[in-house]
Amino acid sequence: MTTTEAVQAKKVSRAGSAAKTEQSLGARIAARAGGGAMRVFLILVGLFWLMPTIGLLLSSLRGPEDIAASGWWKIFTAPSELTFDNYQRLLDNSTITDSLFSTVMITVPSTFLVVVIGSLAGYAFAWMEFPGRDWWFLVVVGLLVVPVQVALIPVSELFGTIGIFETTFGVVMFHTAFGLPFAIFLLRNFFAEIPRELLEAARLDGAGEIRLFTRVVMPLGGPAIASLGIFQFLWVWNDMLVALIFADSESPPITVALQQQVRQFGNNIDVLAPGAFVSMVIPLAVFFAFQRQFVSGVMAGAVK
């Protein structure tokens, strides 16, 4: 080996040693980031995110005098302030209890119709041939950018003409109509990722379109359908604008009922706090109940 070759070999060796040192340093940083320090950080972020919910829960368990006198954190030094009288008053308030029933009667049909119709339309756009399929899908994509506020006045006039303004049926139809473009777009793209060979094999076995949809596509599309159902449920349950305009003023949803309580009784905190907590905890329970399906649906297609 010549002197020049020896020098080059030493340079390569030094570069390799530096790369190994740098790689090991990066590996150590990554290991530490994925270890206890990162877990503690994520726990603190989660607690910070849950703090408003915890504060609302503790406020709903305090009397109106205690709420007016100090913040909810006082409960940790005076646990004797805890009481369930507020929830008893909530149950005795027919406006709030009726509004919860009205919210369920609006949210459940709106979610069910969007999931069913969106699944059928998504399958049709993905795997069925019909005239103008691509153009109709472009129309659906275009409807995604239409804001709800643009349709409030014309839809109000239409509902008034056909006699469904300020009815539960009208609110359900509005939420269904504005939820379908996103549902069709989401499910069509998900169903299109199903292997064609699988569908062709089912057709060779004699499966028709209905059986193919119910026995093959629906089970495979379960995560995406669950994600869509969660999105639609949360959107309809927490909606106030559409409910304020189209819902029956005699039996409004919970969001409108709570707003009316604030307007009519500014210091009615003993009803507002438990009512707001019940209104929030129900969609949270739905989300956590279907959390696994939601994550699977969101991550679908990310890894081949």
Side-chain angles (χ1 to χ4, degrees):
M1 178 181 296
T2 63
T3 305
T4 304
E5 292 177 347
V7 171
Q8 292 178 351
K10 289 181 179 180
K11 290 182 179 179
V12 171
S13 177
R14 291 175 182 176
S17 300
K20 289 181 180 179
T21 304
E22 182 179 358
Q23 183 179 3
S24 61
L25 178 61
R28 289 198 301 269
I29 295 176
R32 291 180 180 179
M38 180 58 67
R39 292 178 182 176
V40 172
F41 174 75
L42 292 177
I43 290 174
L44 293 176
V45 171
L47 291 176
F48 182 79
W49 180 78
L50 288 174
M51 188 173 296
T53 305
I54 297 173
L56 183 60
L57 172 61
L58 296 178
S59 297
S60 67
L61 295 173
R62 304 176 71 205
E65 297 82 6
D66 298 328
I67 296 175
S70 60
W72 57 266
W73 50 87
K74 181 70 179 301
I75 201 70
F76 296 107
T77 58
S80 59
E81 295 180 357
L82 291 174
T83 177
F84 289 95
D85 293 341
N86 292 342
Y87 287 92
Q88 184 62 45
R89 295 189 187 97
L90 180 69
L91 295 176
D92 294 337
N93 191 317
S94 59
T95 301
I96 300 297
T97 53
D98 292 344
S99 66
L100 284 172
F101 178 75
S102 299
T103 306
V104 173
M105 295 300 296
I106 292 173
T107 305
V108 173
S110 300
T111 303
F112 178 78
L113 289 175
V114 166
V115 169
V116 172
I117 300 175
S119 299
L120 293 170
Y123 171 75
F125 279 115
W127 293 109
M128 296 181 67
E129 297 290 342
F130 55 89
R133 184 186 67 173
D134 295 335
W135 288 105
W136 281 112
F137 185 69
L138 289 177
V139 172
V140 172
V141 174
L143 291 175
L144 288 171
V145 301
V146 177
V148 175
Q149 294 80 0
V150 173
L152 294 178
I153 295 178
V155 173
S156 299
E157 296 178 352
L158 174 63
F159 283 6
T161 302
I162 61 181
I164 62 173
F165 187 72
E166 288 194 348
T167 63
T168 300
F169 179 75
V171 182
V172 171
M173 289 297 99
F174 191 96
H175 282 303
T176 302
F178 274 85
L180 279 176
F182 174 74
I184 296 172
F185 176 78
L186 174 69
L187 295 181
R188 183 264 178 190
N189 292 336
F190 187 88
F191 292 159
E193 297 295 327
I194 298 176
R196 181 181 295 272
E197 295 78 7
L198 183 62
L199 301 180
E200 291 177 351
R203 288 192 177 98
L204 291 176
D205 291 337
E209 295 297 339
I210 296 179
R211 192 169 185 178
L212 188 65
F213 174 75
T214 56
R215 298 294 182 88
V216 179
V217 176
M218 287 290 286
L220 293 176
I225 294 173
S227 300
L228 172 63
I230 293 173
F231 276 124
Q232 181 69 9
F233 184 92
L234 296 178
W235 178 51
V236 178
W237 184 277
N238 295 318
D239 169 74
M240 182 176 177
L241 177 62
V242 176
L244 189 63
I245 297 175
F246 293 97
D248 187 0
S249 57
E250 299 297 327
S251 57
I254 184 65
T255 51
V256 179
L258 291 174
Q259 185 268 341
Q260 291 175 349
Q261 293 286 320
V262 174
R263 184 179 59 190
Q264 295 176 3
F265 309 102
N267 58 352
N268 201 12
I269 190 64
D270 56 329
V271 174
L272 290 174
F277 180 75
V278 171
S279 174
M280 182 176 58
V281 76
I282 292 177
L284 280 176
V286 171
F287 174 79
F288 284 115
F290 297 95
Q291 181 182 11
R292 182 173 300 178
Q293 290 82 356
F294 177 78
V295 174
S296 300
V298 171
M299 295 299 295
V303 181
K304 293 293 185 181

